[in-house]
Amino acid sequence: MKTNLAEPIRGTPEGREADRILRTCVHCGFCTATCPTYQLLGDELDGPRGRIYLIKELLEGKQFTRKTQLHLDRCLTCRACETTCPSGVEYGHLVDIGRNIVEQQLGRPLVESVKRAALRAIVPNPALFTPLLRLGQLVRPLLPGGLRRKVPAPQARAAWPAPRHARRMLVLDGCVQPAIAPNINAATARVLDAIGISLLKAENAGCCGAVTFHLDRQREAAAYMRRNIDAWWPYVEAGVETIVTTASGCAVMVKDYGHALAHDPAYADKGRRIAELTRDIGEVLFDEREKVKDRLTLHPSRLTRQRVAFHSPCTLQHGLKIREKVEVLLREAAFELTFVPDSHLCCGSAGTYSILQPQLSRQLLKNKIEALQSGDPALIATANIGCLTHIQSGAAVPVRHWVELLAERLVES
């Protein structure tokens, strides 16, 4: 794609990156076939190719409007288009640049600005999010059915094994997951402990920055990244093998720290190192699968072969490019995985998308639940807290993180 970027943006780091990405696009349109919003709306401007043209035009200095902003906002950033693209277009980075420019120059109406500011203040901040969640859970029995399903039931905090092994890994605790589903990381710690790895938490770490970043406050998000790096760095220097993530949405963000902080002289090298160390728990356990199999209770008399529908989050299969590793681990633990039609499509959670684009999100959720439940599973498993809570709000069967299922089938050491 030929470009002629406007002078104000041309020489900036964002302009140079956008120009490079735009020039890789060959207009083939393969991306539209896997774009969830294009499938729902049928509008070229609500597909990746159309949004790329919009971003190209705004970078070339052409006038843009609220309609431009709407088309960019409707993008889930699921990155299914990147999986399909034969030219390797880095669409996710490009749309981040485009949205940020539009946000800075156009702003937003008051109500929308307040809503986004509230999300940025509450979601990444456990000191605010956790009490609000607890209040919602307290009155949950009194809420109407639809609203009650959106408030996750309280979950007891499970035991976390004390460090006792020479091999050590660090876990990203995150912002909302410890309040909504504290057993996910505890289950991860138990699984790793069973195969000879101790899992540690850094007390001063927090939100990965993804919520704020994708709400077009990228400089603000960088502060979360720096805080995590500062909290993790002593562990890195002490030789932890890996930074483990149990939310694939967070993993995509942390693995992008090197890119996001590339122009920060104090944190660029550290950001790249953190990105190199970060791995999804599925990657870690797949590499240790022989040890995992040795710890599984596979005697038929002690196991019931449950039918499970696995929802692979967009951040896992398109962002991290991890496919079939979790599925292999679940099958080896004697779970029967059902066929899920259109498994490449987004569930509609997409961070704060379900709040900011509720109509599209509900339609995507309806389609996803129909696909997941079409094989009559006993439960649904996934790998991201956002997907888990979103799907649970409409599913007729329980929804759990897959590592919790694995933890329940381990032989105690």
Side-chain angles (χ1 to χ4, degrees), residues 130-169:
T130 303
L132 290 173
L133 175 66
R134 296 290 178 257
L135 179 61
Q137 290 172 332
L138 186 65
V139 300
R140 188 173 183 267
L142 306 177
L143 298 174
L147 185 57
R148 183 169 61 249
R149 286 193 294 271
K150 291 182 181 296
V151 179
Q155 185 183 96
R157 190 175 294 275
W160 189 297
R164 61 186 176 122
H165 302 291
R167 294 184 65 186
R168 298 195 169 194
M169 295 182 179

Side-chain angles (χ1 to χ4, degrees), residues 287-360:
D287 287 351
E288 305 280 346
R289 55 194 285 230
E290 293 306 317
K291 293 180 182 178
V292 172
K293 283 194 288 186
D294 287 343
R295 308 302 300 178
L296 291 169
T297 55
L298 296 179
H299 303 293
S301 61
R302 300 179 64 185
L303 285 179
T304 301
R305 193 171 179 85
Q306 281 185 303
R307 288 172 60 81
V308 175
F310 179 64
H311 166 65
S312 181
C314 300
T315 44
L316 188 71
Q317 59 174 313
H318 304 308
L320 297 174
K321 311 298 184 189
I322 297 173
R323 302 180 187 90
E324 285 301 315
K325 292 188 175 181
V326 172
E327 292 90 330
V328 167
L329 289 164
L330 287 174
R331 289 190 188 102
E332 289 180 347
F335 291 99
E336 180 185 350
L337 298 190
T338 64
F339 173 71
V340 180
D342 295 325
S343 59
H344 63 285
L345 292 178
C346 184
C347 69
S349 173
T352 59
Y353 191 92
S354 61
I355 299 171
L356 298 174
Q357 301 288 336
Q359 186 174 353
L360 288 173

Side-chain angles (χ1 to χ4, degrees), residues 38 48 66 78 127 134 161 178 214 222 227 245 326 337 348 373 384:
Y38 179 79
R66 294 283 178 209
C78 70
R134 296 290 178 257
H214 293 299
R227 184 182 71 176
T245 57
V326 172
L337 298 190
Q373 295 184 166
N384 188 55

